[in-house]
Amino acid sequence: MFDNLSEKLQRVFKNLRGEGKLTAENMEAGLREIRVALLEADVHFKVVKQLMEGIKEKAMGQEVLTALSPSQQVIKIVHEEMIKILGAHQARLRFANEPPTVIMMVGLQGSGKTTSTGKLARYLSKNGNSPIMVSVDVYRPAARQQLAVLARDLKLPIFAGPDGENRPLELARGAKREAMQTGRDMLLIDTAGRLHIDDDLMTELAQLKEALNPTEILFVADAMTGQDAVKSVEEFHRRLGITGVILTKMDGDARGGGALSIRQVTGQPLKFVGTGEKTDAFEPFHPERVAQRILGMGDVLSFIEKVEQNIDQKQAEAMQRKLLEDEFTLEDFRDQLKQLSKLGSMESLIGMLPKTGIFKELQKAKVDEKEFGRVVAIIDSMTPGERRNHMIINGSRRRRIAKGSGTSVQRVNDLLKQYGEARKMMKSLTGGLMGLGGMMGGGKMPGGRVAAMLSKKLAGKLKMPGPPGW
Amino acid sequence: MLSSRLGGSLLDRLKQGIQKTRAGLVEAIEDTIHGKKQIDADLLEELEYKLIGADIGVRTATEILERIRQRVDRKLVGDAAGLRNVIREHLLEVLQGADRPMRWAGARPTVIMMVGVNGVGKTTTIGKLTALYKSEGKQVLMCAADTFRAAAIEQLEVWGQRTGTEVIRQQQGSDPSAVLFDALQAARARNVNVIIVDTAGRLHTKENLMTELEKMTRTARRVVEDAPHEVLLVMDGTTGQNGLEQARKFTESSGVTGIVLTKLDGTAKGGVIVAISRELGVPVRYVGVGEQVDDLLPFDPEKFIESLFA
């Protein structure tokens, strides 16, 4: 669908180069494709109409540039118009002057409120806050238990309330008292999912708001929602005055065009996106990235950020030194694998990359997530001596290691072969890098800086209007 | 109580349930049509936006409009009523084209697997479906094979208590195929008519989770030869164009035989089912129109559209 927007545009704009100027006539086919693409991404039709007008107005009469192809030129305009709606900057969470900051999570059934509550609590506690959660969903069977299980897994506190208490307002009040007494600076309230036309339940939310005085009321929206997204969020906003949006299920292939619509009708910013089932699959919302996703460009920036966040710089430097001194042992190999697996599932990483150009093939690659675990198990089954010097691992040692790790001799052999190749490859690679560093007069170049340089380079390359091949 | 509410006034309840759909789509069309005698380009564009607004999808909408244009050109349609008929006729054709009866097993039990993405209402639908089958005098067993989501098993057990139905379960985190295996053997042993299998919500893009569904299907076959007899994809009525991709991927991996469209008591129109019927030929079996146990109705394309235009 949207993936081939760029290809489609390239086709319809092919003959534009000779034209000199973009006009209503020569743009018509292209504009139609853009419109279809936006609608298929579930952007609300009214918002599409506005967008199209803005795009037309901007594009009309522009000189056909020689530097950019006409399709790139138009995509650039589309992208700019989208950013105009989504906001150029990342919107941050607001905090109350006096703790606890109360955050209310609201939304339709099944949008992912409970999961998002757990994820947000984890995110906050990683960022130095001390959240406590409470579920006031007394309607859905086992909803409160679901949050309790999440809290237990996250090792974060939850207010369960006195036995038999099932009045939402009382539960929320009790939780706020508890937060104050136990010195928790954030209170996250998971409310029951409800339809925006359910008057009783909407009134209940208004009462909760009245009593708790929340700093943030976050509307949790499913990225797969269609045209109805506008109606529901409009009504929640009218009744409660939402202060932000969490867009969930962004790990699927929905374009999330609803993000544009929601922002447009409420004027409230998107603050976070949910990108997976695990509790760490949660990130601040970046307008730029979602615009690129709606355009089918993937999320390269998130990918780079994730790599930078999770690779330990000191370890990277130590690794480099070891490689130089030919001390890269199986233990180091294992550490490196562990670092790699910290980045999250390979599937989600690959999912961030654009589905065009050089990354197209990669999308089809199947990664066996268990392979990491197996390799680590094999290395763990070796003696420290073996790990430091793989040359001593003979046939009988191999059999022992295979048994110890619950794998086969074949697998142990494979691993040793891989390790040998990795050693060779890294040696030549670092040799080259060091040489480069020396040439630039920098002497030793720390791994962190290499990563930073590389990511800047990548980011530069992938800036609008798109990766090579567009 | 159940059967009486499900009885005679079915059409009324369906009408009531999709009142919002009606209010939205039909009124929109009438508004569009009202006061305009001639069918012109502006009117057609407006109409297209209304259809798209119902999540019918830009392709299907274009197709309908193309039909109208042709007939207007041939002077077959000249007024609002004619316009409405063309739309009605087209939608009916698409939905009927996919219609196909439920498949019940020759020998007990009939195995029904419920699949879908996260948060569409699978567990709730199972509760309602169980109540529906019980009201028809069938013996039902539930299988808690969503071993992933926190408290999913407990949620199903609450429905088991509400409907007086046994739930076959294991611990959270256990292998769903193993739970299924046990449950099917229990279904055999207890000689029940129907066993309804709850599965964990999964995005259709997660290849390993989709493979897990394939494995469950194979496991089912080891106990009950031609199982699963029905694989129902539960879809949120608010789903947009991604619904088509959902249906496609689930059909590929687990052979979806029907769709349950939920949450139609809101303002959502569920128009994406038109695209699904059209492209994949998968019928809609039931619609969810509320939170009560009996708020699940059999889907009938003719009545659905009739209610739209009544």
Side-chain angles (χ1 to χ4, degrees):
Chain A
M1 293 196 295
F2 226 131
D3 287 333
N4 6 3
L5 176 62
S6 58
E7 284 166 31
K8 273 189 199 156
L9 288 181
Q10 247 164 17
R11 219 175 311 123
V12 297
F13 285 141
K14 210 163 58 195
N15 305 320
L16 235 67
R17 254 183 213 279
E19 295 260 353
K21 264 187 183 149
L22 297 172
T23 64
E25 290 74 43
N26 63 26
M27 291 250 315
E28 205 198 312
L31 288 174
R32 208 165 36 229
E33 293 293 353
I34 294 170
R35 182 174 162 274
V36 169
L38 288 169
L39 287 169
E40 283 189 336
D42 291 321
V43 180
H44 193 261
F45 68 86
K46 282 184 186 153
V47 180
V48 171
K49 228 173 172 175
Q50 281 174 22
L51 261 170
M52 292 310 295
E53 271 157 28
I55 292 164
K56 229 189 260 176
E57 201 176 300
K58 257 199 171 172
M60 227 51 95
Q62 269 200 13
E63 306 275 329
V64 174
L65 299 173
T66 39
L68 296 173
S69 73
S71 65
Q72 285 173 325
Q73 207 173 333
V74 174
I75 285 187
K76 187 163 177 282
I77 296 170
V78 176
H79 183 261
E80 282 164 7
E81 289 297 304
M82 279 168 40
I83 290 293
K84 228 194 244 172
I85 293 179
L86 288 171
H89 303 291
Q90 189 188 323
R92 290 179 196 284
L93 221 48
R94 291 181 307 190
F95 293 87
N97 291 331
E98 243 174 75
T101 299
V102 178
I103 300 178
M104 250 169 88
M105 311 284 276
V106 301
L108 302 173
Q109 292 98 332
S111 55
K113 280 176 300 303
T114 307
T115 307
S116 297
T117 303
K119 286 177 173 181
L120 180 58
R122 178 190 177 276
Y123 176 88
L124 289 169
S125 83
K126 290 271 169 211
N127 283 288
N129 296 102
S130 56
I132 180 169
M133 295 178 269
V134 63
S135 167
V136 300
D137 182 356
V138 298
Y139 308 100
R140 180 165 64 91
R144 286 162 74 184
Q145 196 169 349
Q146 186 183 347
L147 190 67
V149 172
L150 277 172
R152 191 194 62 206
D153 291 349
L154 290 168
K155 299 186 176 64
L156 287 171
I158 190 166
F159 179 74
D163 269 353
E165 178 59 79
N166 53 14
R167 291 168 297 174
L169 206 52
E170 289 314 308
L171 281 166
R173 280 194 181 122
K176 194 170 180 182
R177 273 195 301 274
E178 172 100 352
M180 286 192 279
Q181 279 161 13
T182 55
R184 294 266 144 191
D185 64 354
M186 312 283 289
L187 170 61
L188 273 56
I189 305 175
D190 181 23
T191 67
R194 63 203 73 213
L195 284 169
H196 48 292
I197 52 165
D198 188 329
D199 198 47
D200 292 348
L201 285 177
M202 291 304 283
T203 306
E204 180 195 281
L205 282 184
Q207 285 166 350
L208 277 168
K209 180 189 174 182
E210 183 79 17
L212 275 295
N213 190 23
T215 307
E216 291 269 7
I217 300 179
L218 300 179
F219 180 77
V220 182
D222 184 330
M224 291 182 282
T225 314
Q227 301 281 321
D228 196 54
V230 161
K231 282 199 202 94
S232 51
V233 77
E234 245 172 0
E235 190 60 15
F236 271 90
H237 190 47
R238 190 180 72 79
R239 303 274 303 238
L240 297 167
I242 64 165
T243 60
V245 178
I246 298 178
L247 197 62
T248 63
K249 306 181 200 173
M250 282 290 272
D251 46 333
D253 55 2
R255 291 287 170 195
L260 271 174
S261 319
I262 288 172
R263 174 76 213 229
Q264 181 74 346
V265 301
T266 63
Q268 297 304 312
L270 285 101
K271 294 200 167 163
F272 295 96
V273 288
T275 57
E277 294 189 329
K278 305 232 167 77
T279 47
D280 60 349
F282 190 74
E283 335 169 332
F285 174 84
H286 298 280
E288 179 83 11
R289 296 176 192 178
V290 171
Q292 292 188 3
R293 176 185 173 121
I294 296 177
L295 282 171
M297 292 175 55
D299 190 358
V300 182
L301 290 172
S302 292
F303 176 77
I304 292 165
E305 193 172 82
K306 203 145 197 189
V307 173
E308 277 181 344
Q309 258 176 20
N310 286 285
I311 297 293
D312 186 330
Q313 297 216 358
K314 269 189 202 145
Q315 255 193 38
E317 280 172 37
M319 199 74 78
Q320 212 164 21
R321 185 178 43 77
K322 282 184 171 174
L323 281 166
L324 270 183
E325 291 157 18
D326 204 12
E327 280 176 4
F328 182 70
T329 66
L330 278 159
E331 267 166 353
D332 301 324
F333 188 52
R334 179 185 59 189
D335 289 346
Q336 222 177 33
L337 282 174
K338 279 185 177 164
Q339 286 229 349
L340 206 58
S341 60
K342 262 203 295 199
L343 292 176
S345 82
M346 279 295 143
E347 220 173 306
S348 73
L349 284 177
I350 292 172
M352 289 178 189
L353 297 169
K355 288 156 187 68
T356 45
I358 49 167
F359 299 113
K360 211 168 184 171
E361 282 307 303
L362 199 60
Q363 299 292 331
K364 290 180 209 135
K366 275 190 204 168
V367 184
D368 185 359
E369 307 280 349
K370 284 182 187 149
E371 187 60 29
F372 281 123
R374 263 180 232 127
V375 170
V376 171
I378 292 173
I379 299 177
D380 282 343
S381 301
M382 297 174 182
T383 66
E386 286 167 348
R387 280 184 220 135
R388 277 193 290 274
N389 180 12
H390 69 285
M391 301 302 279
I392 62 168
I393 305 178
N394 57 22
S396 83
R397 284 175 189 259
R398 281 173 205 225
R399 275 194 297 281
R400 193 205 75 241
I401 294 165
K403 247 188 200 163
S405 57
T407 58
S408 60
V409 175
Q410 181 59 42
R411 283 206 186 268
V412 178
N413 288 340
D414 287 348
L415 166 71
L416 288 171
K417 210 169 130 201
Q418 276 170 22
Y419 164 68
E421 275 164 16
R423 240 171 102 95
K424 232 189 280 165
M425 200 177 72
M426 284 175 163
K427 217 174 152 188
S428 64
L429 202 69
T430 39
L433 270 181
M434 291 310 289
L436 200 68
M439 255 165 52
M440 287 158 69
K444 199 175 135 192
M445 186 177 275
R449 258 180 65 202
V450 175
M453 258 186 59
L454 200 68
S455 54
K456 249 187 222 145
K457 227 173 161 179
L458 254 173
K461 248 191 188 160
L462 293 162
K463 247 195 183 152
M464 290 302 301
W470 269 47
Chain B
M1 178 205 87
L2 280 185
S3 47
S4 73
R5 277 193 69 184
L6 278 168
S9 61
L10 192 71
L11 185 59
D12 287 345
R13 300 219 355 148
L14 184 60
K15 273 184 200 166
Q16 199 188 331
I18 57 178
Q19 196 69 52
K20 294 348 170 285
T21 319
R22 196 192 111 66
L25 185 60
V26 179
E27 268 172 28
I29 293 174
E30 311 241 333
D31 279 358
T32 310
I33 291 163
H34 188 71
K36 296 203 182 187
K37 293 224 169 63
Q38 276 199 327
I39 300 170
D40 57 14
D42 275 354
L43 178 98
L44 289 180
E45 199 209 295
E46 196 65 20
L47 199 54
E48 185 192 15
Y49 272 122
K50 302 294 181 193
L51 288 171
I52 289 169
D55 285 322
I56 273 179
V58 62
R59 281 166 219 273
T60 314
T62 309
E63 203 179 84
I64 293 177
L65 287 176
E66 199 39 54
R67 231 180 224 233
I68 293 173
R69 256 185 220 113
Q70 279 174 10
R71 295 194 187 192
V72 171
D73 285 350
R74 281 155 45 205
K75 310 244 184 287
L76 293 173
V77 180
D79 58 2
L83 200 62
R84 199 171 79 177
N85 269 335
V86 175
I87 296 173
R88 182 182 177 282
E89 204 180 280
H90 187 77
L91 289 176
L92 193 61
E93 200 176 284
V94 170
L95 292 175
Q96 271 176 341
D99 197 23
R100 170 168 348 117
M102 269 287 272
R103 192 173 140 228
W104 295 94
R108 290 177 185 195
T110 295
V111 180
I112 303 179
M113 246 169 89
M114 309 294 277
V115 299
V117 300
N118 319 63
V120 290
K122 273 181 301 301
T123 311
T124 307
T125 301
I126 290 173
K128 292 176 180 175
L129 205 53
T130 303
L132 177 71
Y133 291 154
K134 285 206 145 180
S135 76
E136 292 171 356
K138 297 188 171 80
Q139 293 137 282
V140 187
L141 204 62
M142 297 195 231
C143 168
D146 178 357
T147 57
F148 180 78
R149 182 168 62 87
I153 298 168
E154 287 76 5
Q155 189 180 347
L156 194 67
E157 283 199 315
V158 172
W159 279 106
Q161 284 156 19
R162 282 186 191 170
T163 55
T165 312
E166 189 182 353
V167 179
I168 306 295
R169 58 164 290 181
Q170 286 178 17
Q171 296 304 309
Q172 191 189 339
S174 50
D175 177 11
S177 289
V179 186
L180 178 62
F181 189 84
D182 278 3
L184 289 181
Q185 285 195 319
R188 265 265 159 85
R190 299 187 190 27
N191 197 29
V192 297
N193 300 93
V194 188
I195 171 157
I196 309 180
V197 185
D198 192 12
T199 64
R202 66 200 73 217
L203 289 178
H204 50 287
T205 48
K206 310 264 157 141
E207 208 146 329
N208 52 341
L209 292 179
M210 296 308 273
T211 315
E212 183 186 273
L213 277 184
E214 283 172 39
K215 183 183 167 199
M216 289 179 74
T217 313
R218 283 198 303 275
T219 305
R221 253 170 231 145
R222 276 182 19 227
V223 188
V224 179
E225 204 183 304
D226 48 354
H229 304 89
E230 284 281 325
V231 178
L232 299 183
L233 173 68
V234 185
M235 187 174 288
D236 190 321
T238 64
T239 308
Q241 296 313 298
N242 192 246
L244 183 58
E245 218 35 48
Q246 268 177 44
R248 187 171 285 140
K249 291 276 168 58
F250 274 100
T251 304
E252 276 168 18
S253 74
S254 53
V256 172
T257 59
I259 287 167
V260 181
L261 197 62
T262 61
K263 307 185 198 173
L264 277 193
D265 45 333
T267 48
K269 322 264 192 302
V272 71
I273 59 158
V274 177
I276 293 171
S277 296
R278 180 173 165 270
E279 303 233 341
L280 302 173
V282 178
V284 183
R285 296 241 180 270
Y286 299 96
V287 290
V289 294
E291 301 201 308
Q292 297 309 310
V293 68
D294 55 347
D295 284 332
L296 184 77
L297 304 169
F299 179 80
D300 178 329
E302 211 153 340
K303 281 180 189 159
F304 183 80
I305 293 173
E306 216 162 90
S307 312
L308 284 181
F309 286 91

